[in-house]
PDB file of all heavy atoms in Angstrom:
ATOM      1  N   GLU A  54      70.906 121.145  78.285  1.00 98.00           N
ATOM      2  CA  GLU A  54      69.785 121.443  79.196  1.00 98.00           C
ATOM      3  C   GLU A  54      69.713 122.956  79.412  1.00 98.00           C
ATOM      4  O   GLU A  54      70.766 123.601  79.592  1.00 98.00           O
ATOM      5  CB  GLU A  54      70.039 120.723  80.535  1.00 98.00           C
ATOM      6  CG  GLU A  54      68.885 120.848  81.488  1.00 98.00           C
ATOM      7  CD  GLU A  54      69.069 120.018  82.753  1.00 98.00           C
ATOM      8  OE1 GLU A  54      69.517 118.859  82.664  1.00 98.00           O
ATOM      9  OE2 GLU A  54      68.743 120.533  83.824  1.00 98.00           O
ATOM     10  N   PRO A  55      68.484 123.528  79.422  1.00 98.00           N
ATOM     11  CA  PRO A  55      68.383 124.982  79.629  1.00 98.00           C
ATOM     12  C   PRO A  55      68.721 125.396  81.051  1.00 98.00           C
ATOM     13  O   PRO A  55      68.510 124.635  81.998  1.00 98.00           O
ATOM     14  CB  PRO A  55      66.910 125.306  79.353  1.00 98.00           C
ATOM     15  CG  PRO A  55      66.240 124.043  79.011  1.00 98.00           C
ATOM     16  CD  PRO A  55      67.187 122.909  79.192  1.00 98.00           C
ATOM     17  N   PHE A  56      69.238 126.580  81.178  1.00 98.00           N
ATOM     18  CA  PHE A  56      69.448 127.217  82.485  1.00 98.00           C
ATOM     19  C   PHE A  56      70.247 126.339  83.458  1.00 98.00           C
ATOM     20  O   PHE A  56      69.777 126.025  84.550  1.00 98.00           O
ATOM     21  CB  PHE A  56      68.106 127.664  83.094  1.00 98.00           C
ATOM     22  CG  PHE A  56      67.559 128.901  82.437  1.00 98.00           C
ATOM     23  CD1 PHE A  56      66.535 128.814  81.500  1.00 98.00           C
ATOM     24  CD2 PHE A  56      68.075 130.157  82.733  1.00 98.00           C
ATOM     25  CE1 PHE A  56      66.041 129.951  80.872  1.00 98.00           C
ATOM     26  CE2 PHE A  56      67.592 131.300  82.116  1.00 98.00           C
ATOM     27  CZ  PHE A  56      66.575 131.203  81.193  1.00 98.00           C
ATOM     28  N   VAL A  57      71.440 125.948  83.017  1.00 98.00           N
ATOM     29  CA  VAL A  57      72.322 125.188  83.912  1.00 98.00           C
ATOM     30  C   VAL A  57      73.512 126.029  84.377  1.00 98.00           C
ATOM     31  O   VAL A  57      74.269 125.602  85.238  1.00 98.00           O
ATOM     32  CB  VAL A  57      72.844 123.881  83.254  1.00 98.00           C
ATOM     33  CG1 VAL A  57      71.738 122.867  83.110  1.00 98.00           C
ATOM     34  CG2 VAL A  57      73.508 124.155  81.914  1.00 98.00           C
ATOM     35  N   GLY A  58      73.696 127.229  83.806  1.00 96.00           N
ATOM     36  CA  GLY A  58      74.790 128.096  84.214  1.00 96.00           C
ATOM     37  C   GLY A  58      74.399 128.969  85.405  1.00 96.00           C
ATOM     38  O   GLY A  58      73.473 128.645  86.154  1.00 96.00           O
ATOM     39  N   ALA A  59      75.104 130.091  85.551  1.00 97.00           N
ATOM     40  CA  ALA A  59      74.872 130.965  86.719  1.00 97.00           C
ATOM     41  C   ALA A  59      73.430 131.494  86.746  1.00 97.00           C
ATOM     42  O   ALA A  59      72.795 131.533  87.807  1.00 97.00           O
ATOM     43  CB  ALA A  59      75.864 132.117  86.675  1.00 97.00           C
ATOM     44  N   ALA A  60      72.893 131.862  85.572  1.00 98.00           N
ATOM     45  CA  ALA A  60      71.509 132.358  85.533  1.00 98.00           C
ATOM     46  C   ALA A  60      70.546 131.250  85.969  1.00 98.00           C
ATOM     47  O   ALA A  60      69.554 131.497  86.670  1.00 98.00           O
ATOM     48  CB  ALA A  60      71.161 132.850  84.131  1.00 98.00           C
ATOM     49  N   GLY A  61      70.874 130.038  85.572  1.00 98.00           N
ATOM     50  CA  GLY A  61      70.045 128.896  85.942  1.00 98.00           C
ATOM     51  C   GLY A  61      70.068 128.635  87.444  1.00 98.00           C
ATOM     52  O   GLY A  61      69.048 128.252  88.040  1.00 98.00           O
ATOM     53  N   GLN A  62      71.240 128.856  88.049  1.00 98.00           N
ATOM     54  CA  GLN A  62      71.320 128.658  89.509  1.00 98.00           C
ATOM     55  C   GLN A  62      70.431 129.667  90.229  1.00 98.00           C
ATOM     56  O   GLN A  62      69.784 129.344  91.215  1.00 98.00           O
ATOM     57  CB  GLN A  62      72.767 128.783  89.970  1.00 98.00           C
ATOM     58  CG  GLN A  62      73.565 127.528  89.639  1.00 98.00           C
ATOM     59  CD  GLN A  62      75.066 127.730  89.796  1.00 98.00           C
ATOM     60  OE1 GLN A  62      75.506 128.615  90.512  1.00 98.00           O
ATOM     61  NE2 GLN A  62      75.823 126.910  89.102  1.00 98.00           N
ATOM     62  N   LEU A  63      70.384 130.891  89.690  1.00 98.00           N
ATOM     63  CA  LEU A  63      69.497 131.896  90.306  1.00 98.00           C
ATOM     64  C   LEU A  63      68.038 131.489  90.099  1.00 98.00           C
ATOM     65  O   LEU A  63      67.219 131.602  91.025  1.00 98.00           O
ATOM     66  CB  LEU A  63      69.775 133.284  89.712  1.00 98.00           C
ATOM     67  CG  LEU A  63      68.847 134.390  90.212  1.00 98.00           C
ATOM     68  CD1 LEU A  63      68.885 134.519  91.743  1.00 98.00           C
ATOM     69  CD2 LEU A  63      69.214 135.735  89.559  1.00 98.00           C
ATOM     70  N   LEU A  64      67.706 131.008  88.910  1.00 98.00           N
ATOM     71  CA  LEU A  64      66.330 130.553  88.657  1.00 98.00           C
ATOM     72  C   LEU A  64      65.944 129.440  89.638  1.00 98.00           C
ATOM     73  O   LEU A  64      64.852 129.458  90.217  1.00 98.00           O
ATOM     74  CB  LEU A  64      66.217 130.063  87.204  1.00 98.00           C
ATOM     75  CG  LEU A  64      64.870 129.500  86.769  1.00 98.00           C
ATOM     76  CD1 LEU A  64      63.764 130.543  86.856  1.00 98.00           C
ATOM     77  CD2 LEU A  64      64.956 128.953  85.330  1.00 98.00           C
ATOM     78  N   THR A  65      66.856 128.487  89.832  1.00 98.00           N
ATOM     79  CA  THR A  65      66.589 127.385  90.762  1.00 98.00           C
ATOM     80  C   THR A  65      66.397 127.910  92.181  1.00 98.00           C
ATOM     81  O   THR A  65      65.512 127.451  92.917  1.00 98.00           O
ATOM     82  CB  THR A  65      67.766 126.371  90.712  1.00 98.00           C
ATOM     83  OG1 THR A  65      67.939 125.957  89.348  1.00 98.00           O
ATOM     84  CG2 THR A  65      67.504 125.153  91.567  1.00 98.00           C
ATOM     85  N   ARG A  66      67.214 128.911  92.563  1.00 98.00           N
ATOM     86  CA  ARG A  66      67.082 129.490  93.913  1.00 98.00           C
ATOM     87  C   ARG A  66      65.728 130.191  94.075  1.00 98.00           C
ATOM     88  O   ARG A  66      65.035 130.004  95.088  1.00 98.00           O
ATOM     89  CB  ARG A  66      68.223 130.495  94.132  1.00 98.00           C
ATOM     90  CG  ARG A  66      68.305 131.006  95.549  1.00 98.00           C
ATOM     91  CD  ARG A  66      69.339 132.112  95.680  1.00 98.00           C
ATOM     92  NE  ARG A  66      68.694 133.375  96.001  1.00 98.00           N
ATOM     93  CZ  ARG A  66      69.287 134.561  95.877  1.00 98.00           C
ATOM     94  NH1 ARG A  66      70.513 134.659  95.411  1.00 98.00           N
ATOM     95  NH2 ARG A  66      68.633 135.658  96.224  1.00 98.00           N
ATOM     96  N   LEU A  67      65.350 130.974  93.069  1.00 98.00           N
ATOM     97  CA  LEU A  67      64.064 131.699  93.158  1.00 98.00           C
ATOM     98  C   LEU A  67      62.889 130.716  93.236  1.00 98.00           C
ATOM     99  O   LEU A  67      61.926 130.938  93.970  1.00 98.00           O
ATOM    100  CB  LEU A  67      63.912 132.627  91.949  1.00 98.00           C
ATOM    101  CG  LEU A  67      64.847 133.837  91.925  1.00 98.00           C
ATOM    102  CD1 LEU A  67      64.895 134.453  90.536  1.00 98.00           C
ATOM    103  CD2 LEU A  67      64.400 134.885  92.954  1.00 98.00           C
ATOM    104  N   LEU A  68      63.001 129.630  92.489  1.00 98.00           N
ATOM    105  CA  LEU A  68      61.957 128.595  92.561  1.00 98.00           C
ATOM    106  C   LEU A  68      61.904 127.998  93.963  1.00 98.00           C
ATOM    107  O   LEU A  68      60.828 127.822  94.536  1.00 98.00           O
ATOM    108  CB  LEU A  68      62.262 127.480  91.558  1.00 98.00           C
ATOM    109  CG  LEU A  68      61.713 127.608  90.155  1.00 98.00           C
ATOM    110  CD1 LEU A  68      62.263 126.490  89.283  1.00 98.00           C
ATOM    111  CD2 LEU A  68      60.181 127.575  90.150  1.00 98.00           C
ATOM    112  N   GLY A  69      63.085 127.705  94.510  1.00 98.00           N
ATOM    113  CA  GLY A  69      63.153 127.120  95.844  1.00 98.00           C
ATOM    114  C   GLY A  69      62.513 128.036  96.883  1.00 98.00           C
ATOM    115  O   GLY A  69      61.858 127.555  97.820  1.00 98.00           O
ATOM    116  N   GLU A  70      62.675 129.331  96.705  1.00 98.00           N
ATOM    117  CA  GLU A  70      62.114 130.284  97.674  1.00 98.00           C
ATOM    118  C   GLU A  70      60.579 130.292  97.665  1.00 98.00           C
ATOM    119  O   GLU A  70      59.964 130.776  98.607  1.00 98.00           O
ATOM    120  CB  GLU A  70      62.666 131.692  97.402  1.00 98.00           C
ATOM    121  CG  GLU A  70      64.133 131.819  97.805  1.00 98.00           C
ATOM    122  CD  GLU A  70      64.762 133.160  97.444  1.00 98.00           C
ATOM    123  OE1 GLU A  70      64.048 134.051  96.929  1.00 98.00           O
ATOM    124  OE2 GLU A  70      65.975 133.308  97.656  1.00 98.00           O
ATOM    125  N   ILE A  71      59.979 129.793  96.582  1.00 98.00           N
ATOM    126  CA  ILE A  71      58.507 129.654  96.591  1.00 98.00           C
ATOM    127  C   ILE A  71      58.107 128.177  96.729  1.00 98.00           C
ATOM    128  O   ILE A  71      56.990 127.780  96.390  1.00 98.00           O
ATOM    129  CB  ILE A  71      57.829 130.314  95.355  1.00 98.00           C
ATOM    130  CG1 ILE A  71      58.335 129.707  94.051  1.00 98.00           C
ATOM    131  CG2 ILE A  71      58.001 131.829  95.393  1.00 98.00           C
ATOM    132  CD1 ILE A  71      57.433 130.015  92.846  1.00 98.00           C
ATOM    133  N   GLY A  72      59.056 127.393  97.211  1.00 98.00           N
ATOM    134  CA  GLY A  72      58.734 125.999  97.552  1.00 98.00           C
ATOM    135  C   GLY A  72      58.630 125.078  96.349  1.00 98.00           C
ATOM    136  O   GLY A  72      57.950 124.054  96.413  1.00 98.00           O
ATOM    137  N   MET A  73      59.313 125.433  95.261  1.00 98.00           N
ATOM    138  CA  MET A  73      59.231 124.572  94.071  1.00 98.00           C
ATOM    139  C   MET A  73      60.633 124.168  93.622  1.00 98.00           C
ATOM    140  O   MET A  73      61.622 124.831  93.916  1.00 98.00           O
ATOM    141  CB  MET A  73      58.522 125.318  92.930  1.00 98.00           C
ATOM    142  CG  MET A  73      57.097 125.687  93.272  1.00 98.00           C
ATOM    143  SD  MET A  73      56.214 126.370  91.869  1.00 98.00           S
ATOM    144  CE  MET A  73      55.779 124.880  91.001  1.00 98.00           C
ATOM    145  N   ALA A  74      60.686 123.056  92.891  1.00 98.00           N
ATOM    146  CA  ALA A  74      61.955 122.565  92.358  1.00 98.00           C
ATOM    147  C   ALA A  74      61.888 122.563  90.830  1.00 98.00           C
ATOM    148  O   ALA A  74      60.800 122.607  90.242  1.00 98.00           O
ATOM    149  CB  ALA A  74      62.196 121.145  92.857  1.00 98.00           C
ATOM    150  N   ARG A  75      63.051 122.508  90.211  1.00 98.00           N
ATOM    151  CA  ARG A  75      63.090 122.477  88.732  1.00 98.00           C
ATOM    152  C   ARG A  75      62.257 121.320  88.177  1.00 98.00           C
ATOM    153  O   ARG A  75      61.655 121.448  87.123  1.00 98.00           O
ATOM    154  CB  ARG A  75      64.542 122.306  88.256  1.00 98.00           C
ATOM    155  CG  ARG A  75      65.361 123.559  88.309  1.00 98.00           C
ATOM    156  CD  ARG A  75      66.834 123.229  88.057  1.00 98.00           C
ATOM    157  NE  ARG A  75      67.124 122.871  86.691  1.00 98.00           N
ATOM    158  CZ  ARG A  75      67.563 123.739  85.765  1.00 98.00           C
ATOM    159  NH1 ARG A  75      67.753 124.991  86.062  1.00 98.00           N
ATOM    160  NH2 ARG A  75      67.815 123.336  84.537  1.00 98.00           N
ATOM    161  N   GLU A  76      62.260 120.214  88.915  1.00 98.00           N
ATOM    162  CA  GLU A  76      61.529 119.029  88.439  1.00 98.00           C
ATOM    163  C   GLU A  76      60.011 119.255  88.410  1.00 98.00           C
ATOM    164  O   GLU A  76      59.280 118.508  87.755  1.00 98.00           O
ATOM    165  CB  GLU A  76      61.813 117.804  89.340  1.00 98.00           C
ATOM    166  CG  GLU A  76      63.250 117.362  89.391  1.00 98.00           C
ATOM    167  CD  GLU A  76      64.158 118.306  90.170  1.00 98.00           C
ATOM    168  OE1 GLU A  76      63.756 118.839  91.225  1.00 98.00           O
ATOM    169  OE2 GLU A  76      65.294 118.526  89.694  1.00 98.00           O
ATOM    170  N   ASP A  77      59.540 120.266  89.132  1.00 98.00           N
ATOM    171  CA  ASP A  77      58.092 120.534  89.217  1.00 98.00           C
ATOM    172  C   ASP A  77      57.592 121.345  88.019  1.00 98.00           C
ATOM    173  O   ASP A  77      56.375 121.512  87.865  1.00 98.00           O
ATOM    174  CB  ASP A  77      57.752 121.350  90.473  1.00 98.00           C
ATOM    175  CG  ASP A  77      58.148 120.640  91.752  1.00 98.00           C
ATOM    176  OD1 ASP A  77      58.138 119.392  91.752  1.00 98.00           O
ATOM    177  OD2 ASP A  77      58.469 121.333  92.734  1.00 98.00           O
ATOM    178  N   VAL A  78      58.506 121.932  87.268  1.00 98.00           N
ATOM    179  CA  VAL A  78      58.118 122.884  86.216  1.00 98.00           C
ATOM    180  C   VAL A  78      58.707 122.429  84.890  1.00 98.00           C
ATOM    181  O   VAL A  78      59.480 121.475  84.848  1.00 98.00           O
ATOM    182  CB  VAL A  78      58.618 124.319  86.560  1.00 98.00           C
ATOM    183  CG1 VAL A  78      58.151 124.719  87.951  1.00 98.00           C
ATOM    184  CG2 VAL A  78      60.137 124.426  86.466  1.00 98.00           C
ATOM    185  N   TYR A  79      58.324 123.118  83.816  1.00 98.00           N
ATOM    186  CA  TYR A  79      59.004 122.851  82.541  1.00 98.00           C
ATOM    187  C   TYR A  79      59.755 124.126  82.146  1.00 98.00           C
ATOM    188  O   TYR A  79      59.228 125.241  82.306  1.00 98.00           O
ATOM    189  CB  TYR A  79      58.005 122.451  81.441  1.00 98.00           C
ATOM    190  CG  TYR A  79      58.729 121.818  80.278  1.00 98.00           C
ATOM    191  CD1 TYR A  79      59.019 120.456  80.282  1.00 98.00           C
ATOM    192  CD2 TYR A  79      59.193 122.584  79.213  1.00 98.00           C
ATOM    193  CE1 TYR A  79      59.735 119.863  79.243  1.00 98.00           C
ATOM    194  CE2 TYR A  79      59.909 122.000  78.160  1.00 98.00           C
ATOM    195  CZ  TYR A  79      60.180 120.640  78.189  1.00 98.00           C
ATOM    196  OH  TYR A  79      60.898 120.066  77.182  1.00 98.00           O
TER     197      TYR A  79
END
Side-chain angles (χ1 to χ4, degrees):
E54 186 174 317
F56 284 102
V57 290
Q62 283 167 22
L63 176 57
L64 177 62
T65 305
R66 188 187 114 196
L67 290 164
L68 271 173
E70 288 175 4
I71 59 163
M73 298 187 80
R75 282 170 72 95
E76 298 72 39
D77 300 330
V78 306
Y79 196 86

